[in-house]
Amino acid sequence: MQQDILINWSPQETRVAIVEHGAVQELHLERTLERGLVGNVYMGKVVRVLPGMQSTFIDIGLERAAFLHVADLLPSAAAVRGEGEPSQPRPGGNGQVPIERQVFEGQALMVQVIKDPIGTKGARLSTQISIAGRLLVFLPQDEHVGVSQKIPAAQREDLRRRLQALVGDAASGGGGGFILRTNAEDSSDAELAEDIAYLRKAWARTKAAAQKLPPASLLHQDLDLLQRVLRDLVTEETQSIRLDSREQFDKLQAFGREFMPAATQKLQHYKGERPIFDLFSIDDEVAKALGRRVDLKSGGYLIVDQTEALTTVDVNTGGYVGARNFDDTIFKTNLEAAGAIARQLRLRNLGGIIIVDFIDMVRDEHRAAVLAELRKQLGRDRVKTTASGFSPLGLVEMTRKRTRESLAHMLCEPCAICRGTGAVKTARSVTYDILREILREARQFNPREFRVVASPKVVELFLDEESQHLAGLSDFIGKPISLQAESAMGPEQYDIVLL
């Protein structure tokens, strides 16, 4: 499927949109002050070991301590500053060396971020360092030589033999393992050898920095979003990469000529008068992706609700009544929804557990066809996604690997009024809260007067429908109660002033 990549650059933010047939499929954002950390290598300091969770918290210089699980801890990487071999404690009953026997508080560890901080959770770390290049991924602590599983099996063995010979013959120094990336399928030996040399030099610089810099220091930083576009997002289907900044275009072209010449040929400088994202109404699509409702062309719609635990997607027929019978109407709506759901997952970058509630279908062949279409559409996702069959309740359970914040979490924050719940108390509920609070205060204090400061809607209700209850309470406590409207107050906010 043909695709175009549009890049909108500004000093404070870089935005990348992947467009297929006029529809936005993915949106990637990177802000100068909020740049992602995945791929960065740090010299960390162990601040707390948790044997019960078989994990440890590590200070890498961020606001929150990062998290390292025992499964991501290489015994050979437990040596201070990435060198030497630690003593090998006896494995526990499950064959895994307990984390408390591998690390200790105050220890310095070379670690790499494998998942950005999300919400209240700190970054996820690993001591299994990997450095990505244009054609290869370098594993400095491993000797394994592998080939991407996306390359046909018939070619993998030949590519592995070629790569093994180059790894052993590279003049830049031996050691380390390599994985050949999908885009290296047709690369020459010279290109592979060049990438091997580059990656080994990058690792040598990282190790040298580890010897000099104190804990909580950055040793190696991954490429920025503009460079990752050429490295990770360009495929054979990519027709063009349009960038609206001349300065960044020149820099990216120079970077591409050195590391990704094939991708650089598709790079274009956009000189149009209209903002580049207006070409496909991308800003409008982003605004829609921040809402709950997604309209389908047929007249049906989706309701997408994102919570901390999981994301739910509800499919509804809406105004669609065009099929011959009710079963076909439901089937066609669900079939269209399957493609829309896969696109929304990519566009919104939703991860974790996802529950889809398709409209109930009676016929088994309809359910099988909808599930097959959903899996087909999910197969286009560059992020690992799996979908199970229909549950006894008619729900489809899915998981999508969470690698970074969702679009909503990047662009939005919880409402200051409802605090993220999506609902506020009615004005009548607030008036009754106020009446109870006045009665509670009257039993503890003896002021001359009570003054209620609240939103205009609450004060208006006290002066109208709730005036009798307010007067009754005033008589009961034997104190006057005055009202003051404050337009700056939210619907649930109020103050009771003792005069």
Side-chain angles (χ1 to χ4, degrees):
M1 184 172 292
Q2 296 182 356
Q3 64 174 215
D4 294 283
I5 299 178
L6 306 182
I7 306 175
N8 169 229
W9 183 88
S10 63
Q12 68 275 6
E13 182 181 55
T14 302
R15 302 189 298 169
V16 177
I18 298 179
V19 180
E20 295 178 359
H21 296 302
V24 186
Q25 302 296 322
E26 296 181 42
L27 183 70
H28 299 262
L29 302 177
E30 183 175 85
R31 291 173 172 171
T32 305
L33 299 178
E34 301 174 358
R35 185 173 170 183
L37 306 175
V38 173
N40 288 358
V41 179
Y42 293 86
M43 179 55 66
K45 181 179 180 181
V46 178
V47 293
R48 190 180 179 191
V49 180
L50 304 174
M53 296 178 60
Q54 282 300 289
S55 59
T56 178
F57 287 107
I58 296 182
D59 178 18
I60 58 173
L62 304 181
E63 181 181 353
R64 292 189 298 270
F67 178 84
L68 173 67
H69 189 264
V70 68
D72 298 314
L73 179 66
L74 273 180
S76 60
V80 176
R81 300 199 173 275
E83 294 186 349
E85 294 294 332
S87 59
Q88 297 292 330
R90 290 174 298 165
N94 58 359
Q96 176 70 61
V97 181
I99 194 166
E100 65 270 22
R101 298 171 67 181
Q102 299 191 63
V103 299
F104 54 86
E105 291 186 11
Q107 181 180 4
L109 281 178
M110 185 186 293
V111 292
Q112 185 171 40
V113 178
I114 58 176
K115 186 179 292 186
D116 278 322
I118 297 178
T120 59
K121 300 176 182 177
R124 178 78 179 263
L125 303 177
S126 173
T127 59
Q128 305 174 41
I129 310 297
S130 64
I131 302 177
R134 177 171 67 97
L135 305 172
L136 305 166
V137 176
F138 182 40
L139 309 173
Q141 300 146 321
D142 199 346
E143 296 297 330
H144 173 70
V145 173
V147 178
S148 169
Q149 295 295 313
K150 293 183 180 179
I151 294 177
Q155 304 176 36
R156 285 205 293 266
E157 190 56 39
D158 179 57
L159 288 169
R160 184 180 289 106
R161 283 196 297 268
R162 285 177 52 200
L163 181 57
Q164 184 70 62
L166 290 169
V167 168
D169 294 342
S172 55
F178 290 87
I179 297 176
L180 188 134
R181 304 180 67 172
T182 308
N183 63 343
E185 181 179 354
D186 299 319
S187 299
S188 66
D189 286 355
E191 291 174 322
L192 292 174
E194 185 178 354
D195 213 34
I196 291 172
Y198 163 75
L199 290 170
R200 282 178 169 159
K201 288 177 182 177
W203 173 239
R205 288 194 300 267
T206 302
K207 286 202 301 181
Q211 296 291 339
K212 301 174 183 177
L213 299 177
S217 297
L218 176 64
L219 306 179
H220 169 82
Q221 189 170 33
D222 197 21
L223 303 180
D224 62 27
L225 179 56
L226 279 177
Q227 297 165 331
R228 294 200 308 273
V229 168
L230 297 186
R231 189 187 73 185
D232 300 333
L233 302 185
V234 177
T235 65
E236 293 181 357
E237 290 76 28
T238 303
Q239 300 299 300
S240 67
I241 310 164
R242 284 180 269 183
L243 172 58
D244 62 0
S245 167
R246 181 73 207 187
E247 178 186 1
Q248 298 303 317
F249 171 79
D250 292 339
K251 290 182 179 179
L252 192 57
Q253 200 171 43
F255 172 81
R257 279 196 296 263
E258 182 176 358
F259 295 105
M260 296 98 180
T264 309
Q265 297 174 5
K266 303 176 181 180
L267 193 60
Q268 303 173 10
H269 177 221
Y270 175 74
K271 304 176 183 178
E273 295 183 0
R274 296 173 60 196
I276 190 169
F277 269 27
D278 285 3
L279 297 180
F280 296 98
S281 302
I282 292 173
D283 286 323
D284 293 338
E285 288 293 327
V286 172
K288 292 178 183 178
L290 297 176
R292 296 180 65 227
R293 177 165 171 151
V294 179
D295 291 317
L296 305 176
K297 291 182 180 179
S298 64
Y301 62 92
L302 311 176
I303 296 294
V304 182
D305 285 314
Q306 184 181 356
T307 70
E308 187 170 351
L310 51 82
T311 298
T312 61
V313 182
D314 185 31
V315 183
N316 299 278
T317 55
Y320 179 51
V321 292
R324 291 170 296 178
N325 56 59
F326 188 56
D327 285 349
D328 285 344
T329 299
I330 291 174
F331 173 59
K332 291 183 180 300
T333 303
N334 283 339
L335 209 57
E336 183 185 5
I341 290 168
R343 174 174 174 257
Q344 289 298 317
L345 296 184
R346 296 192 298 270
L347 182 58
R348 298 172 185 240
N349 195 35
L350 298 173
I353 301 173
I354 300 158
I355 305 296
V356 181
D357 184 10
F358 287 105
I359 307 169
D360 290 339
M361 293 172 284
V362 177
R363 297 167 60 179
D364 290 340
E365 58 266 31
H366 283 176
R367 292 157 68 101
V370 168
L371 190 60
E373 177 65 16
L374 177 63
R375 287 173 171 163
K376 175 185 174 183
Q377 296 294 331
L378 293 176
R380 298 168 51 196
D381 200 335
R382 68 182 73 251
V383 177
K384 183 180 179 181
T385 307
T386 58
S388 64
F390 283 89
S391 73
L393 296 178
L395 306 175
V396 174
E397 300 173 358
M398 302 167 48
T399 59
R400 186 172 187 267
K401 186 177 180 181
R402 181 180 287 151
T403 56
R404 54 192 171 94
E405 293 270 21
S406 68
L407 184 66
H409 283 163
M410 289 183 68
L411 300 181
C412 305
E413 64 181 7
C415 171
I417 296 175
C418 72
R419 294 178 293 278
T421 64
V424 294
K425 287 184 177 180
T426 63
R428 195 178 305 279
S429 298
V430 176
T431 62
Y432 293 168
D433 287 343
I434 292 173
L435 294 177
R436 285 190 291 269
E437 184 64 23
I438 291 175
L439 182 59
R440 186 180 298 111
E441 296 286 343
R443 289 171 176 169
Q444 300 181 51
F445 306 102
N446 187 29
R448 175 171 47 85
E449 177 188 342
F450 289 92
R451 177 170 296 171
V452 176
V453 183
S455 66
K457 193 173 183 179
V458 170
V459 171
E460 182 181 350
L461 197 61
F462 268 132
L463 293 174
D464 188 12
E465 299 177 22
E466 298 296 335
S467 59
Q468 184 177 354
H469 292 146
L470 185 65
L473 178 60
S474 179
D475 291 340
F476 179 75
I477 63 177
K479 304 289 181 181
I481 303 174
S482 60
L483 302 171
Q484 177 182 330
E486 181 57 64
S487 58
M489 282 190 162
E492 293 185 6
Q493 293 178 306
Y494 63 86
D495 282 324
I496 299 174
V497 183
L498 308 182
L499 302 175

